[in-house]
């Protein structure tokens, strides 16, 4: 998909591949087109690694929403929330590596912690799921510890954690109590 694109010397397609596990050919083409749009807007001739990584985030998470003005307190809450995710994920041996933490809004999120596996994984273990559940809950926990209160910012995390917990038991049969039924 990159054959007809002019790539700068700093481009590492291996690193791009590490950031795009599970991407289809269409996803890769879309990502490269997004990077090309960035280059065209800047009146440049070549795609850089920075352009490609930015385009990957746009495809994964949606466009940046810089028009939304956050108060200093909202930024502070988002920073601690995302730091909670990042800290716990980085301490979990079975968690996917943290690639980036941001408090720039994308899509519906006020910030994000980008964790990506280092390779395509057709199978996931019980302990990998537990690490993911733990990571989902830690934005909420960080808010509660630092501010003594929680915000609606954790609602998507709690929703994802609930879905994952349900899947662990119902879809994957990994409950020690119920077993594989």
């Amino acid at each position: 998909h990159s054959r007809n694109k002019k790539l700068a010397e700093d481009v590492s397609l291996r690193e791009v591949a590490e950031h795009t596990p599970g991407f289809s050919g269409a996803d890769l083409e879309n990502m490269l087109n997004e990077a090309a749009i960035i280059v065209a807007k800047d009146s440049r001739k070549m795609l850089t690694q920075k352009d490609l990584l930015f385009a990957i985030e746009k495809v994964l998470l949606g466009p940046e929403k810089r028009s939304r003005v956050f108060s200093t307190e909202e930024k502070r809450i988002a920073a601690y929330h995302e730091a909670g995710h990042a800290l716990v994920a980085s301490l979990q041996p079975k968690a996917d590596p943290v690639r980036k933490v941001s408090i720039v809004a994308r899509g519906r999120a006020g910030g994000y912690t980008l964790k990506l596996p280092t390779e395509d994984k057709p199978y996931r273990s019980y302990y990998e799921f537990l690490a993911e559940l733990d990571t989902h809950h830690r934005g909420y926990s960080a808010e509660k510890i630092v501010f003594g209160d929680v915000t609606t910012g954790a609602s998507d995390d709690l929703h994802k954690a609930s879905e994952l917990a349900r899947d662990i038991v119902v879809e994957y049969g990994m409950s020690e109590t119920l077993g594989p039924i």
Side-chain angles (χ1 to χ4, degrees):
H1 295 289
S2 65
R3 270 189 216 126
N4 298 326
K5 308 280 194 249
K6 291 183 181 178
L7 304 177
E9 286 186 27
D10 73 332
V11 170
S12 166
L13 292 178
R14 179 175 182 78
E15 184 181 354
V16 170
E18 288 176 0
H19 281 74
T20 56
F23 268 43
S24 67
D27 292 331
L28 291 170
E29 185 69 29
N30 185 21
M31 179 270 300
L32 284 160
N33 288 338
E34 289 292 343
I37 290 168
I38 294 166
V39 169
K41 283 182 180 178
D42 290 346
S43 299
R44 291 185 283 123
K45 301 275 187 225
M46 295 186 161
L47 297 171
T48 65
Q49 190 72 7
K50 185 178 175 182
D51 298 326
L52 294 171
L53 296 177
F54 187 84
I56 290 168
E57 289 179 36
K58 186 172 182 182
V59 170
L60 282 172
L61 305 167
E64 285 186 347
K65 298 212 172 168
R66 292 198 181 261
S67 60
R68 166 78 166 95
V69 179
F70 287 92
S71 70
T72 303
E73 185 64 9
E74 288 171 322
K75 289 177 189 175
R76 192 166 173 258
I77 291 167
Y80 276 102
H81 181 102
E82 296 308 327
H85 291 309
L87 180 63
V88 170
S90 66
L91 295 173
Q92 294 280 351
K94 294 290 185 175
D96 290 332
V98 175
R99 303 289 185 152
K100 183 175 182 178
V101 180
S102 176
I103 61 168
V104 174
R106 282 188 177 273
R108 291 180 29 229
Y112 59 94
T113 300
L114 183 60
K115 299 183 306 88
L116 295 170
T118 53
E119 58 191 28
D120 279 332
K121 294 192 283 187
Y123 303 107
R124 295 187 64 197
S125 75
Y126 176 71
Y127 292 107
E128 288 172 324
F129 285 135
L130 289 184
E132 188 171 338
L133 277 175
D134 199 19
T135 301
H136 279 311
H137 285 101
R138 295 314 167 209
Y140 176 93
S141 298
E143 287 184 30
K144 195 162 188 136
I145 290 167
V146 174
F147 302 105
D149 197 5
V150 293
T151 67
T152 57
S155 64
D156 189 50
D157 297 326
L158 296 174
H159 177 75
K160 287 177 183 174
S162 296
E163 276 187 357
L164 180 57
R166 194 173 300 108
D167 286 348
I168 290 169
V169 174
V170 177
E171 296 293 321
Y172 307 125
M174 293 180 173
S175 166
E176 290 183 18
T177 306
L178 297 175
I181 56 170

